[in-house]
Amino acid sequence: MTFQKRAQKILELLEAYGEVEIRQLAQKTGASEVTIRRDLSTMAANKLLYRTHGGAMKTSDLIKPVSFANKAEVNIKAKDAICKKAAEDIAEGDVIFIDCGSTAFRLCQFIKNKKIKVITNSLPVVNELQHSAVSINLIGGEVNPNRQAVHGSMAHEHIVRYRASKAFLGVDGITIEGLYAGSEHEASNTMAMASQSDCIYMLCDASKVGKTSYLKFNDLSMVNILVTNFSGPEIKEFESKGIAVYSVRL
Amino acid sequence: MTFQKRAQKILELLEAYGEVEIRQLAQKTGASEVTIRRDLSTMAANKLLYRTHGGAMKTSDLIKPVSFANKAEVNIKAKDAICKKAAEDIAEGDVIFIDCGSTAFRLCQFIKNKKIKVITNSLPVVNELQHSAVSINLIGGEVNPNRQAVHGSMAHEHIVRYRASKAFLGVDGITIEGLYAGSEHEASNTMAMASQSDCIYMLCDASKVGKTSYLKFNDLSMVNILVTNFSGPEIKEFESKGIAVYSVRL
DNA sequence: TGTAATTCGATCAAAAATAATCATTATTAA
DNA sequence: TTAATAATGATTATTTTTGATCGAATTACA
């Protein structure tokens, strides 16, 4: 059994149980404990797992290089349902913006096989769509490792050079009063994408609706379609402001 | 049995089993193990499969990060030695360009802990440096999934907006006559980075020196320093053209 | 806290696989 | 046909992988 095979097995077991012991692994792979120990060290060096005494643990998904692809993610079902609904509106030949953030990221799985062009500043989106039917335009600028996204004035300039039929955006909070972001950088990108698109989709799971955040960066007028699993009386108010609301259920 | 026939058979078996052993293949094809080994290396160079000890694995079966642990990459030692040498010249506070390509990628491991700014169009470089001391500026434009890099006119415009103290570039081939690239896109980016840098480092393992490729995109005048493990009489000629040559040994 | 039991890291040796070299055979070009 | 070129195979030297062993470090637990 080669190193690669063992590594695969180890990662599988890690995925299933969250942690593994060297004894187990040695038994399952037929290799000696010394070898397993060596495997674990090289894998740990590549940040594929955390080394513990006598075994290994799954790398915290926060630290993993590229992944919102994490099933422990909050509200994942809501986000998936929202994105599935939104993806129905995406047609062959479309040019779309995809915002950074964990919600918009979930759109990827539903558009992989569509022949469209995606303009994005989200590194996970790029990684996810890299070997798919989608052609990608990556927005350039300063990389923010925490958000796994590109920001800054160069990014802004880049965005306004393009034009898309649809933009799929996320925010930190949305109320009747307006849209809220966690940072100016994000707000700036979101605004720029909106200004360059014919139709603006706002993807918000229920936890975002009615919530405010530190920066109110715009009112609701720029939003055309709100896709959400929120279902309170406020929905009517959004609609009265001229926003089409796609309500999804889980 | 010709190479093509064998390659076909190998891919079939790979498709069926996910992995193959050299012994098997030698038996099934009637070729010697030496020949199979040669077949596998060329196929691995074309990314048709992953080379393992004693055999090969299907590319798609491999979990991506494991492939980084794969030492089957061609000329890896030369590339590492070259990059280690080149990295010695990088000082705190530097702003540097890093080209796409497998050679320049190897620079990452040696600069992770330096407080510098890296401007790059290479997605693997971004992933590698994302959670390090390095701050990253990602060049925007069209993503080429095969090269895992960003190209196009937008990329060019992005590059020329910045200025760096050093550029670490790769080429497909280098001779006394000039520099050769595999595509115009690459050449365009390489040229742009060179034009915006004070000092241009060319990173070339021995297989690149003396080799030409389909596009000669410039003469040698733009190169300041050639870092290579090549050690033939041609080195003197490079030096006579005013290029400083850093010779590395393995 | 101190002691026993694990686990780890380093070093070594054996086995397997690979790379390098050279001779031989097939293929192609002149 | 003959010479040049490329592909293959055999042989040898080198490298890689693996497992064993032993002192040091870490953990468990009495």
Side-chain angles (χ1 to χ4, degrees), chain B residues 1 3 6 31-32 34-35 38 53 71 77:
Chain B
M1 199 179 240
F3 167 72
R6 287 196 307 272
S32 73
V34 184
T35 301
R38 269 193 276 246
H53 236 74
K71 290 162 195 159
K77 286 199 172 165

Side-chain angles (χ1 to χ4, degrees), chain A residues 166-190:
Chain A
K166 303 181 178 82
F168 295 87
L169 310 177
V171 287
D172 255 32
I174 180 170
T175 71
I176 299 297
E177 313 300 325
L179 302 168
Y180 298 82
S183 83
E184 305 220 14
H185 286 308
E186 275 177 84
S188 151
N189 275 349
T190 303

Side-chain angles (χ1 to χ4, degrees), chain B residues 181-200:
Chain B
S183 83
E184 305 219 15
H185 286 309
E186 274 176 86
S188 150
N189 275 349
T190 303
M191 285 295 288
M193 287 183 184
S195 76
Q196 298 305 110
S197 305
D198 300 335
C199 184
I200 287 98

